[in-house]
Amino acid sequence: GDSVTQMEGPVTLSEEAFLTINCTYTATGYPSLFWYVQYPGEGLQLLLKATKADDKGSNKGFEATYRKETTSFHLEKGSVQVSDSAVYFCALSRIGNEKLTFGTGTRLTIIP
Amino acid sequence: EAGVVQSPRYKIIEKKQPVAFWCNPISGHNTLYWYRQNLGQGPELLIRYENEEAVDDSQLPKDRFSAERLKGVDSTLKIQPAELGDSAVYLCASSSEWVEKLFFGSGTQLSVL
């Protein structure tokens, strides 16, 4: 079945550091890939997405590239801020299976 | 635009008691999802509605869980009787663009003692 594997957390970084959160997936066919973010006390919200190989999703300074050859969708940001502290979830969906399959989430804490 | 509204925010019950969660999706969103998120895990789908119809309930433990979405708007998820293993956060989400963009509520955190 479909599955998403994320790097273990928690991750703690200093402000302005470079961020990478690894995500790999297993799925048949060509899934769409997503990153969702959950800020403290709030619901999950879509951060970015990519729907086909080599697509790059971007939002709020975050980027992720759909790599079919490595079945990966790593999240990156060049300079993190304290306000980026949250839990980040990688997820996938497939055509004909209208649901999201999530990874376990990675808690990110940015210290000033 | 109001987001997805869930209530209650927290619920503490004893095992074998019934419990119900309520969700009001974003206006105009035909698709509604209930997810369960166990501690330290990602959300897992319980049931998906298209308007009033439950189109995917394969992951819903039907011996104790039930759900309804009357008039294709609000939805209620019920557990009866609750077990210790049901302690989790229950998330409601809605969408107007299939699964490409889901809007989640803040969830109901259930603790079964």
Side-chain angles (χ1 to χ4, degrees), chain A residues 32 34 36 38 41-46 49-51 87 89 93-94 96-105, chain B residues 9 33 35 37 40-45 48 50 56 58-59 91 97-107:
Chain A
S32 295
F34 307 84
Y36 275 78
Q38 186 173 30
E42 300 183 15
L44 282 82
Q45 53 187 276
L46 179 64
K49 68 178 182 181
T51 58
V87 182
F89 291 90
S93 70
R94 285 190 290 110
N97 186 10
E98 299 297 331
K99 70 175 187 179
L100 288 172
T101 298
F102 286 89
T104 55
Chain B
R9 185 72 179 89
Y33 305 78
Y35 279 82
Q37 185 176 11
Q41 302 295 315
E44 295 181 328
L45 181 70
R48 174 170 69 95
E50 291 297 334
D56 183 356
S58 57
Q59 300 296 102
L91 299 167
E97 301 176 33
W98 296 98
V99 75
E100 291 296 303
K101 186 171 185 179
L102 265 61
F103 293 83
F104 282 84
S106 298

Side-chain angles (χ1 to χ4, degrees), chain B:
Chain B
E1 177 182 82
V4 176
V5 179
Q6 289 188 246
S7 67
R9 185 72 179 89
Y10 303 94
K11 189 72 176 180
I12 301 174
I13 61 172
E14 294 187 347
K15 64 181 181 182
K16 300 185 181 180
Q17 294 300 305
V19 64
F21 315 122
W22 175 79
C23 173
N24 179 238
I26 292 173
S27 178
H29 283 193
N30 296 329
T31 308
L32 184 145
Y33 305 78
W34 282 103
Y35 279 82
R36 177 169 59 186
Q37 185 176 11
N38 293 312
L39 186 64
Q41 302 295 315
E44 295 181 328
L45 181 70
L46 291 174
I47 189 168
R48 174 170 69 95
Y49 282 92
E50 291 297 334
N51 299 305
E52 302 89 352
E53 183 182 1
V55 296
D56 183 356
D57 63 356
S58 57
Q59 300 296 102
L60 189 72
K62 298 182 183 62
D63 56 337
R64 296 183 300 107
F65 286 66
S66 64
E68 61 182 9
R69 191 183 183 197
L70 298 176
K71 301 181 181 180
V73 182
D74 294 2
S75 178
T76 303
L77 178 69
K78 298 178 181 178
I79 309 175
Q80 183 170 10
E83 298 179 352
L84 295 176
D86 296 331
S87 295
V89 177
Y90 291 83
L91 299 167
C92 180
S94 69
S95 174
S96 64
E97 301 176 33
W98 296 98
V99 75
E100 291 296 303
K101 186 171 185 179
L102 265 61
F103 293 83
F104 282 84
S106 298
T108 296
Q109 184 169 331
L110 174 66
S111 297
V112 182
L113 306 179

Side-chain angles (χ1 to χ4, degrees), chain A residues 47-107:
Chain A
L47 180 60
L48 54 83
K49 68 178 182 181
T51 58
K52 61 182 187 295
D54 299 324
D55 268 2
K56 178 184 286 187
S58 61
N59 186 25
K60 300 182 180 181
F62 290 89
E63 293 183 339
T65 301
Y66 189 142
R67 301 289 189 196
K68 188 174 185 301
E69 63 276 13
T70 55
T71 63
S72 66
F73 192 55
H74 304 323
L75 183 68
E76 297 182 336
K77 187 175 185 182
S79 177
V80 293
Q81 305 300 313
V82 172
S83 58
D84 294 326
S85 299
V87 182
Y88 292 81
F89 291 90
C90 186
L92 68 82
S93 70
R94 285 190 290 110
I95 294 175
N97 186 10
E98 299 297 331
K99 70 175 187 179
L100 288 172
T101 298
F102 286 89
T104 55
T106 302
R107 181 176 297 277

